[in-house]
Amino acid sequence: MAGNQASAGDLLHLVRSGRATTRGALQHATGLSRATVGQRLDRLFRAGWLREGAAGPVDSPLGGRPSIRLEFDTSHAVVLAADLETRHARAAVLTLDGTLLAEHKGPLRVDAGPEAVLDELGRWFAELLAKAECAPDLVCGIGLAVPGPVDSATGRVVQPPIMPGWDGYDIRGRLRRAFREHTRTEPEHDGTEPGRSRPPVPVLVDNDANLIAYGEQRTAFPHCAAFVLVKVSTGIGAGVVVDGAIYRGIDGGAGDIGHIRVPDGADARCGCGSYGCLAAVASGRALARRLTDAGVPASSGSDVRALLAAGHPEAVRLARDAGRQVGEVLATVVTLLNPGVLMIAGDLAGTPFLTGVRELLYQRALPRSTAHLEVVTARLGERAGLVGAGALVVEELYAPERVEERLGALGV
């Protein structure tokens, strides 16, 4: 980032990260002249993305005027986020720094199909914007967490075991249209038509475990260079954050540990159609089925969570056994990735399950792999997916290369 290679987007990144927050510091960090720094900052000011804060201390022993601190203006836009589960969903309006302005949770079955589900989310978004007293034009992007593998390049889910009808569906386009229809905003254009330059609202889609991991890591463990989160609810999935970025693999398949074959599951049929998957024996759905067979009605991970909260002895026993089965798989994960934090989230993330995980993990993994490992439960609760989805949108839209693209679209 030296000389004329430092763009306005690079300057904004330096300010947002706290590495350089005055004009002088930006000059020093980039090697740009005072005039060039001023020109590039002026574009950010005109876009409304940057503002001047309070004056900082005088650095020079000779005195002089205090330096004016530059700040990312988080009030110039808002983000919409939604987190789909199998039978419920959450949606929210968030500021650019992750503060929730309005939130809604309600029943919404993912197996109702993408048309109905995404249209309903569009309606929720319109109601939430009204509740938060935010105009639709303030929305800079939409983030969506889904319970299935996602090709991040296209935003489409790929062969999702528990999302019938969603495989390959154009989620971005349908959610964008639902948002526009329910908020009654004008049709979007790509900027090529004269006089019509409102760009499409960006929609980012990712796996729910990825976004829960991203939200939790950024909030509670920002300095952890290798972070693994395992969500155990109706299904089982993992999210991995390495050096502050989600690790997805080459096409979004990283972290799909629920479909690793385990010895105890040879006769258990999984929702993916195979036998012996970890999810078939240790997920919330698997435990619900076993409880029902034992005369304790349960149909989902949330039902199992309620039984665990009530201290039901059979639910507690099954959760601990499930934790041991997951812990055996996680011993390999920990040995391979050597994370600093292993976080358990989802419906089963309580003491019995965590106890089982620790028993097998520390028994099977080498001491070298666990010597500096923290095994914890989720900190953000049910809002983690929303926080992660919102953060993903902000980091994508205000990345240096996207800043240049967006400033150009704004004509500044």
Side-chain angles (χ1 to χ4, degrees):
M1 196 192 298
N4 290 328
Q5 294 178 347
S7 66
D10 292 320
L11 299 191
L12 182 63
H13 178 71
L14 288 169
V15 172
R16 289 187 61 225
S17 66
R19 290 169 53 197
T21 57
T22 66
R23 286 171 172 81
L26 289 169
Q27 285 178 245
H28 179 74
T30 63
L32 295 175
S33 69
R34 179 177 180 180
T36 303
V37 166
Q39 290 168 357
R40 293 182 181 172
L41 289 179
D42 182 60
R43 298 178 68 200
L44 299 171
F45 281 118
R46 282 188 284 143
W49 299 353
L50 212 58
R51 66 186 175 197
E52 291 184 340
V58 177
D59 295 330
S60 172
L62 301 177
R65 297 177 62 184
S67 298
I68 301 297
R69 288 183 61 84
L70 302 172
E71 299 174 348
F72 180 53
D73 188 347
T74 58
S75 67
H76 75 267
V78 295
V79 174
L80 296 174
D83 183 5
L84 286 180
E85 299 182 5
T86 52
R87 301 196 302 175
H88 296 85
R90 283 179 177 268
V93 182
L94 301 97
T95 64
L96 298 183
D97 61 4
T99 302
L100 269 73
L101 300 178
E103 182 184 9
H104 175 72
K105 178 183 179 180
L108 191 59
R109 296 187 63 95
V110 74
D111 59 10
E115 284 283 337
V117 169
L118 297 175
D119 183 71
E120 183 69 359
L121 286 182
R123 185 176 69 81
W124 288 8
F125 285 151
E127 293 173 353
L128 286 167
L129 286 169
K131 183 178 178 181
E133 299 182 346
C134 293
D137 286 347
L138 278 177
V139 176
C140 67
I142 301 172
L144 176 64
V146 298
V150 176
D151 181 343
S152 60
T154 65
R156 299 176 187 238
V157 293
V158 182
Q159 300 177 358
I162 58 174
M163 299 177 69
W166 291 77
D167 186 21
Y169 185 85
D170 181 15
I171 296 174
R172 289 175 177 173
R174 182 65 183 97
L175 187 53
R176 189 181 293 123
R177 188 169 83 248
F179 165 74
R180 189 178 68 243
E181 291 170 350
H182 286 282
T183 57
R184 298 194 173 107
T185 51
E186 291 186 10
E188 300 154 335
H189 297 268
D190 61 7
T192 59
E193 187 177 340
R196 306 298 294 275
S197 60
R198 174 180 168 79
V201 174
V203 176
L204 276 67
V205 185
D206 210 329
N207 171 260
D208 55 356
N210 283 347
L211 293 180
I212 292 170
Y214 195 50
E216 292 279 7
Q217 187 270 338
R218 288 172 60 89
T219 301
F221 299 94
H223 303 297
C224 180
F227 177 96
V228 175
L229 176 139
V230 179
K231 180 187 178 186
V232 187
S233 290
T234 298
I236 300 176
V240 180
V241 181
V242 177
D243 291 334
I246 297 171
Y247 178 74
R248 300 182 177 89
I250 60 170
D251 61 3
D256 201 5
I257 66 170
H259 300 287
I260 292 175
R261 304 293 175 86
V262 293
D264 292 344
D267 298 327
R269 191 172 192 272
C270 181
C272 72
S274 298
Y275 287 84
C277 295
L278 180 64
V281 296
S283 66
R285 175 178 287 174
L287 268 61
R289 185 171 57 250
R290 291 184 187 180
L291 285 165
T292 299
D293 291 344
V296 184
S299 61
S300 67
S302 58
D303 290 341
V304 177
R305 178 175 59 185
L307 290 166
L308 289 171
H312 190 283
E314 183 63 9
V316 168
R317 184 186 69 79
L318 289 175
R320 182 165 178 170
D321 287 347
R324 289 170 58 86
Q325 290 166 320
V326 172
E328 186 157 10
V329 170
L330 290 179
T332 301
V333 172
V334 165
T335 302
L336 178 65
L337 297 178
N338 189 210
V341 175
L342 171 62
M343 179 176 282
I344 307 298
D347 291 327
L348 303 191
T351 300
F353 186 87
L354 190 64
T355 299
V357 167
R358 284 179 166 148
E359 283 179 13
L360 260 290
L361 174 63
Y362 288 106
Q363 178 182 328
R364 299 295 169 86
L366 292 172
R368 173 70 181 82
S369 301
T370 58
H372 303 289
L373 176 68
E374 291 184 67
V375 182
V376 300
T377 52
R379 306 292 171 84
L380 294 177
E382 294 183 337
R383 290 178 171 172
L386 296 176
V387 173
L392 184 72
V393 170
V394 173
E395 292 306 313
E396 167 72 16
L397 295 187
Y398 294 94
E401 60 276 9
R402 287 299 302 273
V403 165
E404 290 303 310
E405 176 188 324
R406 295 175 66 213
L407 288 175
L410 291 171
V412 299

